[in-house]
Amino acid sequence: MKILVVGNGGREHALLWKLRRDAPEAELFVTRANGGMEGLATSIPLAPGEIQALAGWAEQNAIDLTVVGPEAPLAEGIVDHFTAHGLCAFGPTRAAAQIEASKAFAKGVMQRHGIPTAAFQVFDDRAAAEAYVRELGGPVVVKASGLAAGKGVVVCDDTAQALAAIAGMMEGAAVGTAAAQVVVEERMTGEELSVFALTDGENVVPMLAAQDHKRIGEGEMGPNTGGMGAYAPVSLATPELMARVEAEILRPTVAAMAAEGHPFRGLLYAGIMLTPDGPKVVEFNCRFGDPETQVVLPLLRSSLLAPMLAIGRGESIAGVTLEWEPGAAATVVLASAGYPGDYPTGLPIHIPPEVEAMEDVVVFHAGTRRTDRGALETSGGRVLAVTALAPTVAQAAERNHLAAEGIRFEGRYYRRDIGWREIERRAAHA
Ligand code: AMP
Ligand code: GLY
């Protein structure tokens, strides 16, 4: 079996790690391996966006399964392209990937099919957007409709902030070309869950719910990032709640995508807010979350490869059930100084052997690379995600702090409060 993973961040490192466990004999390949993937996968010198070249390479090398990590190549149609070449690829088509690539599209699907989400309107016109903000009156959220790498959302406390956000986006300065359209929506309140579901376009197999920490600062302060840490399981995600999420959100969404002529096959990620009126969708993503994948996959005892292959081949996953390890996982992201703003790269990283050897700790690499001489250095904003497994979230968090503390690079920053909501909930119930 030959498997290609497209992408080279922490999420893709976790995918490779899990695929290696599922298929010890498989040959794994990855696009432009980061500094932690050697020994796990063979690096190929193509970028995730080089869709034509990747399909050609996969064909020549008789790749049995291609797993696409990031949203950008999915939104550009990498899976359509692979399928046209007779190749097996895991991920949605270009049309189905719109559920993430266009917030206006996603909101439309939810509205047409009665899937619970915040009230909203989509605007091409600045004056009309401003009028709607004034009409809603209270706290709103302003979003660039297109892909904006997590930077296209402004959660506003009042009308003045919302007007400023619209001006910033529609003038195009803040997010490039992403904001020809903006979505203005009601601001919801409640805790958030990240729920991944495997789907063949009809059947839905939800995974363990996780919670991520999107803000740069401890206590959820400061600007949004790609994600500074995550943990699973979340005790709020009771079997009853998950049954509701499945019945009210996941199944209707998958059915809606099929009914509208673009069935979604792959991994559907629902960002959910637990509002006083029940679970509602904040957003959909068309791929695994980063860093949630770094906690969900280490807890998955059963195979990920088997359902991925079935979905990639267009087969049914009816009857598939996933088995989970008992216990909990927490991951903490070690970031470069300055992230999510500008940050330096090329700084040497020291990971002590005793950290690499820690039991129930896995160091997933994201923005790292090897120099010509094999030394490890930083190459991105989120550098490493250190995952620990333990009986409880509190113990897992303690364990990954211990590991993170030992890892050094100049200016390294990480949050020391990963899992705090869960830890407080548990303490309250003790
Ligand atoms: P998104 O990129 O759509 O996931 O938005 C990023 C973050 O903004 C989410 O994780 C939420 O914390 C917040 N957010 C987005 N939409 C809303 C909303 N309608 N109400 C409250 N918070 C929101
Ligand atoms: N952790 C959030 C995301 O992957 O979009």
Side-chain angles (χ1 to χ4, degrees):
M1 164 93 52
K2 289 181 173 181
I3 305 172
L4 168 65
V5 171
V6 175
N8 63 359
R11 163 184 52 209
E12 288 77 23
H13 192 176
L15 283 164
L16 287 167
W17 179 90
K18 175 61 178 157
L19 292 168
R20 168 58 70 222
R21 295 193 132 196
D22 290 348
E25 75 300 339
E27 269 184 87
L28 303 181
F29 299 88
V30 65
T31 54
R32 298 191 175 164
N34 67 31
M37 292 168 165
E38 82 279 6
L40 198 51
T42 304
S43 183
I44 66 167
L46 292 170
E50 294 179 77
I51 292 176
Q52 310 262 2
L54 282 169
W57 183 89
E59 215 168 4
Q60 255 168 27
N61 290 275
I63 296 299
D64 298 291
L65 171 68
T66 297
V67 175
V68 184
E71 62 275 17
L74 292 167
E76 282 161 28
I78 189 170
V79 169
D80 311 59
H81 210 78
F82 271 59
T83 308
H85 283 249
L87 291 159
C88 170
F90 177 86
T93 59
R94 177 189 181 125
Q98 287 182 90
I99 202 161
E100 171 168 3
S102 165
K103 291 189 193 288
F105 171 89
K107 291 298 263 189
V109 170
M110 288 186 265
Q111 189 175 45
R112 288 190 289 279
H113 297 268
I115 294 152
T117 189
F120 74 100
Q121 280 192 35
V122 183
F123 299 96
D124 304 302
D125 176 68
R126 188 168 152 189
E130 291 173 348
Y132 184 61
V133 164
R134 292 202 175 88
E135 182 194 320
L136 285 177
V140 299
V141 179
V142 179
K143 301 182 176 184
S145 181
L147 290 178
K151 291 179 185 147
V153 175
V154 185
V155 179
C156 309
D157 295 319
D158 54 40
T159 304
Q161 267 183 22
L163 296 178
I166 289 170
M169 279 184 199
M170 292 197 116
E171 278 159 16
V175 281
T177 55
Q181 278 190 322
V182 298
V183 177
V184 176
E185 55 183 60
E186 157 209 10
R187 179 167 163 186
M188 304 182 286
T189 55
E191 281 207 44
E192 288 179 60
L193 289 180
S194 300
V195 179
F196 300 165
L198 293 164
T199 176
D200 56 12
E202 182 187 348
N203 299 285
V204 174
V205 180
M207 302 180 87
L208 215 54
Q211 197 167 54
D212 82 343
H213 296 275
K214 285 198 175 137
R215 304 293 189 115
I216 188 74
E218 287 169 14
E220 317 312 325
M221 308 297 276
N224 258 318
T225 69
M228 294 303 293
Y231 70 90
V234 186
S235 57
L236 290 171
T238 58
E240 295 73 33
L241 180 83
M242 291 305 284
R244 237 185 121 176
V245 167
E246 191 176 334
E248 294 173 19
I249 293 172
L250 299 173
R251 287 187 184 282
T253 301
V254 167
M257 293 294 284
E260 295 201 356
H262 19 68
F264 188 102
R265 294 189 192 90
L267 191 288
L268 181 65
Y269 161 161
I272 285 168
M273 197 169 278
L274 304 177
T275 77
D277 305 325
K280 292 189 184 180
V281 177
V282 176
E283 61 161 354
F284 283 116
N285 293 314
C286 65
R287 36 94 193 157
F288 284 91
D290 191 344
E292 294 96 318
T293 302
Q294 291 90 310
V295 292
V296 172
L297 295 188
L299 290 171
L300 179 59
R301 178 186 287 166
S302 55
S303 173
L304 176 65
L305 176 58
M308 277 184 157
L309 267 176
I311 292 166
R313 288 173 178 152
E315 295 165 6
S316 168
I317 56 164
V320 167
T321 52
L322 301 175
E323 282 167 48
W324 300 96
E325 300 289 349
T331 196
V332 60
V333 169
L334 275 59
S336 298
Y339 176 80
D342 294 338
Y343 50 80
T345 58
L347 301 173
I349 305 170
H350 177 61
I351 307 179
E354 56 276 19
V355 169
E356 295 277 17
M358 275 175 79
E359 233 176 278
D360 294 326
V361 170
V362 191
V363 180
F364 293 116
H365 288 233
T368 74
R369 64 182 172 222
R370 296 274 165 190
T371 64
D372 294 342
R373 310 171 110 199
L376 193 62
E377 63 179 30
T378 64
S379 65
R382 292 192 292 172
V383 177
L384 299 162
V386 180
T387 296
L389 299 169
T392 67
V393 170
Q395 289 163 328
E398 219 167 278
R399 230 177 145 62
N400 62 20
H401 288 168
L402 206 67
E405 193 52 45
I407 298 175
R408 301 279 158 182
F409 55 88
E410 197 187 313
R412 71 134 166 55
Y413 169 79
Y414 64 91
R415 283 181 56 173
R416 287 155 210 270
D417 65 345
I418 302 307
W420 66 271
R421 287 198 169 92
E422 184 71 17
I423 295 166
E424 283 187 2
R425 254 193 304 276
R426 289 287 163 158
H429 286 105

